Amino acid sequence: METNLPARSRTGSSSVPPRRTNPPQTPFAKRLKRIVKGVAITATVLFMLGIGGIIWMFITPSGNNFRYLIADTLITTQHRYLAKYIIGQHELDGRVKAYQNRFDAMGEERDTHQINPSAGEQSGTDSGASEQEKPLVEIEKISGHGYSGYVMTVNDPKKIRIGVPEKAGRGERVLSMVQRTGAIAGVNGGGFADPNWQGNGFQPIGIVMSGGELFYSDLGKSRSTQVVGLDKEGKMVAGRYSLAELQKLGVQEAVTFQPRIIVNGKGLIKNAADGWGIAPRTAMGQREDGAILFVVIDGRQPGHSIGANLYDVQNIMLSHGAVIAANLDGGSSTMLVKDGEVLNKPSTKSSEGRYLPSAWLVFEHPEQAVISNVWAGLKPGDIDPGKW
């Protein structure tokens, strides 16, 4: 009688079905698995770092300082509103107001510096070359932590004039002003109305003076403004002044901007935290020998130059012998032109920079420069700063 018993192996054990195995993975599947695993690990690490970063920024003193640095940097850009997401709208409004109050206070102390051209007569060379034998304009490249730019020295302050646009209705680029007027060099000047950061650059803020004539003013007779200017003798004037005071001082060239950062040989910015964020910068100063210093620093360009704070600019000025210095319109207005060429790299779409209402121009013969009042007959209310 036959029985259906399982066959036995030679060892006497019964046979079992073979174990099923997964098919071998292809090279592509192995790579995909590694990629997915790597992405998951990276996402987890970034998430943990993000959480840690948020805790650091809002809890620790160093994190708070960094958070306010970012906010201050945004305040100087056309994206100021983004700062509210970092410090809140109430804190943003308070910070802007605090800076304004601080800048106003920095312009109050009366400057008493005197220029002495003989102080720079000895150049320190074996030839004994005098200040008069130096070139009118000297350019020096500078760099620091996160920034690069230039210092332009104008050895005769009486060779500088304020340039303005040629045609009404729109500002003019510094390069165009230099080429049109035959200037040796040019640097951007004062501030202007800039609605939605898309203004036409034609309506200045405060005042513009050129050749001793008041070209533009949105001030009342008794009001004052923060000015950066030069008098008849080439002495730099910076701080808060009324029109009557400027006239009494014999100021010939002037624009409105702030803050003054050096007065009577001492810096007014205490530290980097008070430096109003990181941005492209332009500033003007004067040495005791009368030479004018323009500091121009690029910014907002990773790999080239992120920018500088006002404390950086102040230290550059002090290291170059400035006894008075003031901030000028910076950001995307920052521009340095020499011999018909843009030397710096503006943070604008165009390498030639923005349309502006004023510029500091250097001439071999400034008395021959033709600079006409483009705002003659116009009142501030007659100008639409947003219409091209």
Side-chain angles (χ1 to χ4, degrees):
M1 181 176 177
E2 293 185 0
T3 58
N4 295 324
L5 298 175
R8 294 180 179 273
S9 67
R10 292 182 181 179
T11 60
S13 62
S14 52
S15 64
V16 295
R19 181 179 297 175
R20 296 181 63 183
T21 60
N22 294 326
Q25 290 185 333
T26 64
F28 173 76
K30 291 181 179 179
R31 288 196 299 271
L32 181 61
K33 185 177 181 180
R34 287 197 297 268
I35 291 172
V36 172
K37 184 177 180 181
V39 169
I41 293 174
T42 301
T44 301
V45 171
L46 291 176
F47 176 77
M48 297 302 294
L49 289 175
I51 295 297
I54 291 173
I55 294 173
W56 171 71
M57 287 179 65
F58 284 86
I59 301 299
T60 68
S62 61
N64 274 314
N65 290 338
F66 181 73
R67 187 158 55 94
Y68 280 101
L69 173 62
I70 295 175
D72 286 347
T73 300
L74 289 171
I75 288 171
T76 66
T77 72
Q78 58 183 310
H79 305 296
R80 172 180 291 187
Y81 68 94
L82 292 176
K84 70 180 180 181
Y85 298 112
I86 299 175
I87 60 176
Q89 185 65 54
H90 178 73
E91 192 71 16
L92 170 59
D93 295 340
R95 200 156 182 85
V96 171
K97 184 178 180 180
Y99 268 118
Q100 184 61 55
N101 292 339
R102 192 179 308 159
F103 290 168
D104 286 343
M106 290 164 65
E108 293 300 330
E109 179 181 342
R110 279 296 171 254
D111 168 59
T112 60
H113 91 281
Q114 297 295 323
I115 57 175
N116 178 19
S118 64
E121 285 184 355
Q122 297 302 319
S123 65
T125 62
D126 294 336
S127 62
S130 68
E131 181 74 15
Q132 286 74 20
E133 294 172 334
K134 286 185 177 181
L136 176 57
V137 175
E138 297 178 283
I139 302 291
E140 172 194 354
K141 286 187 176 181
I142 58 171
S143 62
H145 182 65
Y147 69 82
S148 63
Y150 296 87
V151 173
M152 180 172 75
T153 303
V154 182
N155 287 305
D156 186 348
K158 295 182 181 181
K159 301 289 188 177
I160 299 175
R161 290 282 309 275
I162 284 291
V164 301
E166 181 181 24
K167 299 178 181 179
R170 186 170 78 171
E172 187 174 358
R173 289 171 168 145
V174 178
L175 177 61
S176 174
M177 290 191 206
V178 168
Q179 294 174 336
R180 175 173 58 81
T181 62
I184 298 172
V187 173
N188 58 290
F192 57 98
D194 193 12
N196 299 317
W197 299 80
Q198 299 295 324
N200 56 31
F202 184 63
Q203 184 173 26
I205 292 174
I207 67 166
V208 176
M209 296 182 68
S210 183
E213 180 184 348
L214 182 64
F215 277 14
Y216 180 91
S217 173
D218 58 16
L219 310 178
K221 292 183 179 180
S222 61
R223 292 185 59 192
S224 59
T225 185
Q226 297 264 13
V227 302
V228 186
L230 291 166
D231 70 8
K232 295 178 180 179
E233 303 304 320
K235 177 185 174 181
M236 181 174 167
V237 176
R240 178 168 292 281
Y241 293 92
S242 67
L243 292 176
E245 288 173 320
L246 294 176
Q247 184 178 13
K248 184 177 180 180
L249 290 171
V251 172
Q252 300 291 291
E253 319 293 328
V255 294
T256 288
F257 214 74
Q258 62 180 356
R260 183 177 59 183
I261 57 178
I262 298 174
V263 61
N264 298 319
K266 66 177 184 292
L268 300 178
I269 310 275
K270 296 179 180 179
N271 50 51
D274 288 335
W276 201 25
I278 305 297
R281 301 287 181 187
T282 307
M284 176 177 166
Q286 185 170 44
R287 299 193 313 230
E288 186 181 5
D289 65 359
I292 293 295
L293 305 170
F294 288 102
V295 172
V296 176
I297 295 177
D298 289 331
R300 302 171 186 164
Q301 300 172 72
H304 167 57
S305 180
I306 300 300
N309 57 49
L310 291 181
Y311 188 63
D312 295 324
V313 176
Q314 173 181 284
N315 288 339
I316 293 169
M317 283 289 187
L318 289 171
S319 68
H320 283 73
V323 293
I324 185 171
N327 188 40
L328 292 171
D329 189 16
S332 53
S333 297
T334 292
M335 174 67 65
L336 172 60
V337 176
K338 173 70 165 60
D339 296 329
E341 178 185 358
V342 177
L343 297 188
N344 70 310
K345 294 182 179 180
S347 58
T348 55
K349 294 180 181 180
S350 170
S351 61
E352 295 182 0
R354 302 187 74 185
Y355 292 90
L356 306 175
S358 60
W360 295 94
L361 304 181
V362 185
F363 297 90
E364 284 284 1
H365 302 286
E367 70 282 356
Q368 298 177 9
V370 179
I371 301 175
S372 302
N373 185 358
V374 70
W375 298 286
L378 294 177
K379 297 179 180 179
D382 299 329
I383 302 171
D384 184 347
K387 184 178 180 180
W388 288 80

